[in-house]
Amino acid sequence: MEQPELPGNEFGDMFVPPTHYLDSPSSSSEADFGFAFNDSNFSDRLLRIEIMGRGSNPDAEGYGSIADWARRRKRRREDTIKKESGLGTDGLHLLIYRVYWLEEDALMELLNFMYTNTVSVTTAPALLDLLMAADKFEVASCMSYCSRLLRDMPMTTESALLYLDLPPTVLVATPVQPLTDSAKKFLAARYKDFTKFQEEFMSLPLAGIEAVLSSDDLQVASEDAVYDLILKWARAQYPSLEERREILGSRLARSIRFPFMTCRKLKKVLTCSDFEHELASKLVLEALFFKAETPHKQRSLAAEESASVHRHLIERAYKYRPVKVLEFEFPMPQCVVYLDLKREECIGLFPSGRVYSQAFHIGGQGFFLSAHCNLDQQSSFYCFGLFLGMQEKGSVSFGVDYEFSARSNPSEEFISKYKGNYTFTGGKAVGYRNLFGIPWTSFVEEDNLYFINGILHLKAELTIRRSTDP
């Protein structure tokens, strides 16, 4: 039975060629069957299109920009009805489609593409309409075509966010993945150093935040800073604790690389009310287990996850390098700190670069390690130096015994390279300008005994001797 005509609706008929034209062995993605399109001589079916609601929203006529398209999409109806109704009076098989009037052009463009493999539209809004129609009628080749054309257009923050906000059925479609991947890469690159765009970054929608935080190259001080940023954004966007917990638990927690957070911050995660306690405990426990693994095992686990969407075991390019810390309170405050540096990182320090570790604490005070490329004042050549610094500035002084060591081939055991002691006051640093006693050129050579599988393993042992007021 045919659909009844609705007031204000329009009908249009079109001849449709037999599907064997498209299914023939000789057909290809480049084949052109335009000669058979809407021609009664090559048709066995009649396509009847019912256009609904024309003129009901005159303000929606103009949509020349991406923003116009986005506003219009939120008002459009998503239902398109397809019904086969048997044979028409002329003996042709009759198909009835009902579409909202704003989809008419896209549907006609889609039908044309199915037989010619080309489209006439060139603007982003029109291509998005065509992409949506191709998804609705499951024409994967047209989806790929539209996706490619959209990728070839200049990307903007506005368009990237729109591509990530397409309907779920479109987002999960394989032909659209290259487009969404490009959008994510664009946003990740734009907000690589989000401190420069703090206000703009905080106004991004959820999909934009996830895209930026998925990057390994995010220029951030540490994963602790990422955690603080996500909490700040979530609290601003989701004032309701229940909604915030849902978003953090189901979406944003996957963007935080908990294994690279400091133990000090992980303790705060356990008491943070923004996370369900059970989830917080699970995340912290998994992070601690990862930290307890050997460097080789950590790299192995990270390699297994490298192809995953959620790369929580992959280390970002932090401004402050993560460290492993073992703390002891008795018989005196003591800690052992492990810092790993890649050969590329070390090479990049020449001629006067520095790399800093994340802060670690002993005796209630914050310390850090810093690796330098500096000029040996006695021999006048560049060399690798390692230093220990105290963060806080204050009236308390700390007498610290310290020892620097490095793993060495062939035993791969830590070998002591320098011992010293120093009475710290806030903001001071101490160390050794030429830790290995060799020129920089020898230090970065491939056969350097201190690089094991491309990694320089450093260790600093600190013991507080006394704490006195000046």
Side-chain angles (χ1 to χ4, degrees):
M1 181 177 179
E2 294 188 8
Q3 295 287 335
E5 293 190 23
L6 301 178
N9 289 5
E10 300 176 6
F11 287 82
D13 291 345
M14 174 177 293
F15 294 106
V16 182
T19 55
H20 71 257
Y21 279 113
L22 299 179
D23 298 334
S24 64
S26 61
S27 64
S28 69
S29 61
E30 300 301 324
D32 186 346
F33 296 96
F35 66 89
F37 184 60
N38 199 20
D39 189 325
S40 60
N41 295 320
F42 298 95
S43 303
D44 66 349
R45 288 168 295 173
L46 184 67
L47 176 63
R48 177 160 294 169
I49 303 172
E50 182 180 356
I51 310 300
M52 301 187 300
R54 186 182 299 281
S56 61
N57 190 359
D59 293 336
E61 287 282 1
Y63 56 97
S65 71
I66 284 285
D68 293 332
W69 187 92
R71 286 192 295 270
R72 178 172 61 82
R73 180 171 69 85
K74 293 184 182 301
R75 294 194 295 263
R76 73 192 296 173
R77 301 182 188 180
E78 294 301 330
D79 57 319
T80 299
I81 301 172
K82 170 187 175 183
K83 183 175 181 179
E84 297 195 11
S85 57
L87 294 177
T89 57
D90 51 6
L92 295 176
H93 195 74
L94 183 64
L95 302 170
I96 287 183
Y97 283 86
R98 175 180 292 174
V99 298
Y100 189 50
W101 71 276
L102 287 172
E103 297 174 311
E104 178 184 2
D105 291 342
L107 178 58
M108 298 304 296
E109 195 69 49
L110 176 62
L111 289 170
N112 181 65
F113 174 86
M114 292 170 65
Y115 293 97
T116 65
N117 289 300
T118 61
V119 299
S120 62
V121 295
T122 57
T123 65
L127 285 169
L128 284 168
D129 270 343
L130 180 55
L131 177 66
M132 300 277 280
D135 171 68
K136 183 173 294 184
F137 293 100
E138 301 180 359
V139 185
S141 58
C142 186
M143 295 180 72
S144 297
Y145 193 91
C146 294
S147 176
R148 178 173 59 80
L149 292 180
L150 288 168
R151 291 200 315 275
D152 290 342
M153 293 181 175
M155 189 80 73
T156 66
T157 300
E158 185 180 51
S159 63
L161 291 174
L162 180 59
Y163 299 153
L164 296 179
D165 191 40
L166 291 170
T169 57
V170 180
L171 285 176
V172 299
T174 300
V176 182
Q177 292 303 303
L179 177 62
T180 55
D181 288 345
S182 296
K184 291 175 183 178
K185 290 177 181 178
F186 173 85
L187 292 172
R190 173 168 176 74
Y191 297 102
K192 182 177 181 179
D193 186 355
F194 57 78
T195 57
K196 295 181 179 179
F197 309 94
Q198 188 102 18
E199 186 175 340
E200 185 178 340
F201 179 84
M202 292 301 293
S203 67
L204 289 176
L206 177 59
I209 292 291
E210 289 179 313
V212 174
L213 298 183
S214 67
S215 172
D216 298 341
D217 300 321
L218 199 63
Q219 292 183 356
V220 62
S222 66
E223 199 64 27
D224 290 5
V226 174
Y227 171 82
D228 290 337
L229 180 76
I230 286 180
L231 279 189
K232 181 180 178 181
W233 181 90
R235 288 167 179 169
Q237 299 291 331
Y238 299 91
S240 167
L241 178 60
E242 184 177 353
E243 290 184 5
R244 189 160 66 248
R245 282 182 169 179
E246 169 62 25
I247 290 297
L248 285 169
S250 63
R251 301 282 294 271
L252 286 176
R254 300 179 302 193
S255 298
I256 304 173
R257 305 185 183 185
F258 290 93
F260 299 100
M261 290 172 59
T262 63
C263 291
R264 194 180 185 90
K265 183 65 76 172
L266 288 174
K267 290 179 182 178
K268 294 184 178 181
V269 176
L270 290 174
T271 58
C272 178
S273 62
D274 297 274
F275 288 90
E276 294 286 354
H277 181 70
E278 183 177 348
L279 175 62
S281 300
K282 176 178 179 293
L283 294 170
V284 171
L285 189 61
E286 289 176 349
L288 293 176
F289 273 126
F290 182 82
K291 287 178 178 289
E293 296 286 1
T294 63
H296 174 74
K297 181 63 174 179
Q298 289 179 346
R299 290 193 295 273
S300 176
L301 292 172
E304 292 175 6
E305 194 195 53
S306 60
S308 171
V309 175
H310 308 297
R311 302 161 61 83
H312 74 291
L313 299 182
I314 308 296
E315 189 176 319
R316 302 186 202 266
Y318 301 111
K319 294 179 182 177
Y320 302 121
R321 305 297 298 133
V323 291
K324 276 188 177 181
V325 182
L326 297 177
E327 299 180 50
F328 305 93
E329 295 184 3
F330 302 100
M332 61 188 70
Q334 186 179 32
C335 71
V336 182
V337 184
Y338 297 90
L339 171 65
D340 293 345
L341 298 175
K342 299 176 183 177
R343 179 191 293 274
E344 310 87 76
E345 291 178 290
C346 294
I347 292 175
L349 295 177
F350 186 84
S352 58
R354 301 182 180 187
V355 60
Y356 295 91
S357 78
Q358 294 178 356
F360 53 90
H361 293 77
I362 179 174
Q365 293 295 317
F367 289 85
F368 62 89
L369 295 175
S370 62
H372 299 201
C373 174
N374 38 224
L375 194 63
D376 186 289
Q377 295 176 341
Q378 294 181 347
S379 306
S380 297
F381 55 68
Y382 289 98
C383 52
F384 179 87
L386 186 62
F387 297 83
L388 171 67
M390 181 175 172
Q391 273 192 324
E392 291 86 352
K393 295 182 179 180
S395 59
V396 178
S397 62
F398 278 81
V400 178
D401 293 331
Y402 62 94
E403 180 177 2
F404 296 154
S405 306
R407 287 191 190 274
S408 176
N409 280 318
S411 67
E412 298 190 1
E413 297 291 332
F414 278 102
I415 298 176
S416 177
K417 304 305 297 181
Y418 185 75
K419 291 183 179 181
N421 56 74
Y422 188 75
T423 299
F424 282 91
T425 56
K428 300 294 183 180
V430 67
Y432 197 58
R433 296 180 66 86
N434 190 356
L435 185 66
F436 299 106
I438 56 176
W440 184 264
T441 51
S442 300
F443 168 68
V444 296
E445 286 180 352
E446 289 288 338
D447 59 353
N448 183 345
L449 297 178
Y450 298 105
F451 283 103
I452 302 174
N453 296 322
I455 303 294
L456 177 65
H457 302 275
L458 301 171
K459 180 176 73 170
E461 298 180 59
L462 283 68
T463 303
I464 292 183
R465 291 185 283 109
R466 64 183 182 275
S467 178
T468 59
D469 294 325

